[in-house]
Amino acid sequence: MAFHAPLSKNYAKSSFMKQLKLKLPRWGGKRRGAGRKPNGPKAGIWHVTRARVRRGPVHVSWHMRVGTWNLRQFKCFKVLAGAFAAARDRFGMRIIHFSVQGNHIHLIVEADDTDALSRGMQGLGVRVARALNRVMKKRGKRLADRYHSHVLRTPAEVRNAVHYVLRNHLKHHDLVEKCERDEFSSEAFAAPTTSPVTWLMKHCGPGG
């Protein structure tokens, strides 16, 4: 029978320490570039959860991508008005008010529900992009990937939102343009819009 001498304390300790120093492979955890991509300029609007829409008015703003012409010139506004007219009552979304600024548009719309707002805005976005690309003789996307929407739930919110949209030019443009009535809005050019059907817009909007 073979006899094995017991390991010395120093040898056992050194072997244990060597095992602790082994660089074992690591799986999972935080890795550079992993996970959902961060929001950036291409996203346009931060990816926040939108409020649910239940047959009511909504304030929508949508920015154009860099490289799009100034929207407040007649040749651009003319085709935008045509896009608004074609999309003013589609997919359960109705365009009630609008204003066109240099690089973005504001809308007051009514939507039957969240899906109706999404479909209506998608259809409007396609029409706007095609119309502007025809004028600019360009191709590609014209609008930011996402629009910003705020559901209007009270009479005060409706009145404030309509006033903000129709007077938005006072905020963005120089004194020469700062007349009370904006010629690039539904207040001066109402043809591309439709009449409201919800109580809030009927009774709390201009003249309500």
Side-chain angles (χ1 to χ4, degrees):
M1 180 175 178
F3 174 76
H4 297 281
L7 297 174
S8 66
K9 292 183 179 180
N10 291 336
Y11 179 81
K13 183 178 180 180
S14 62
S15 299
F16 179 69
M17 292 300 293
K18 287 181 180 180
Q19 288 183 357
L20 289 180
K21 292 179 181 178
L22 290 176
K23 293 184 179 180
L24 300 175
R26 298 181 180 180
W27 301 98
K30 186 175 181 180
R31 300 185 305 279
R32 185 177 180 181
R36 184 175 177 181
K37 300 301 181 184
N39 294 294
K42 292 184 178 180
I45 297 296
W46 295 101
H47 287 201
V48 294
T49 302
R50 293 194 180 109
R52 300 289 296 178
V53 181
R54 296 182 179 177
R55 198 171 186 270
V58 185
H59 175 203
V60 179
S61 58
W62 210 348
H63 278 73
M64 302 294 134
R65 287 176 175 255
V66 175
T68 304
W69 290 356
N70 181 3
L71 304 181
R72 288 174 73 87
Q73 51 181 314
F74 180 74
K75 54 187 174 183
C76 288
F77 178 74
K78 181 179 179 180
V79 298
L80 285 177
F84 294 157
R88 62 184 170 184
D89 192 356
R90 297 274 293 170
F91 305 112
M93 186 191 82
R94 294 165 294 280
I95 299 176
I96 312 300
H97 296 290
F98 71 85
S99 71
V100 174
Q101 305 308 318
N103 65 349
H104 63 283
I105 58 177
H106 284 282
L107 304 167
I108 300 292
V109 304
E110 288 179 330
D112 292 343
D113 52 36
T114 305
D115 290 337
L117 176 64
S118 179
R119 291 193 301 269
M121 291 303 298
Q122 184 178 16
L124 175 62
V126 171
R127 295 178 188 277
V128 167
R130 287 177 177 174
L132 290 176
N133 279 332
R134 283 197 304 270
V135 172
M136 298 168 58
K137 294 181 173 56
K138 292 185 178 181
R139 299 178 64 181
K141 293 184 177 181
R142 290 295 113 212
L143 296 110
D145 291 342
R146 287 171 65 87
Y147 55 86
H148 179 268
S149 61
H150 175 67
V151 180
L152 308 175
R153 305 188 185 279
T154 67
E157 281 189 309
V158 172
R159 285 192 294 268
N160 291 338
V162 172
H163 182 271
Y164 180 86
V165 169
L166 297 182
R167 298 291 177 267
N168 198 245
H169 65 296
L170 300 177
K171 174 182 176 182
H172 292 289
H173 302 287
D174 56 30
L175 293 175
V176 176
E177 257 190 294
K178 286 187 176 181
C179 56
E180 188 69 13
R181 188 176 183 182
D182 185 9
E183 61 179 339
F184 296 97
S185 74
S186 55
E187 188 175 35
F189 194 64
T193 62
T194 189
S195 300
V197 299
T198 62
W199 183 90
L200 272 175
M201 284 307 305
K202 283 182 175 180
H203 297 280
C204 303

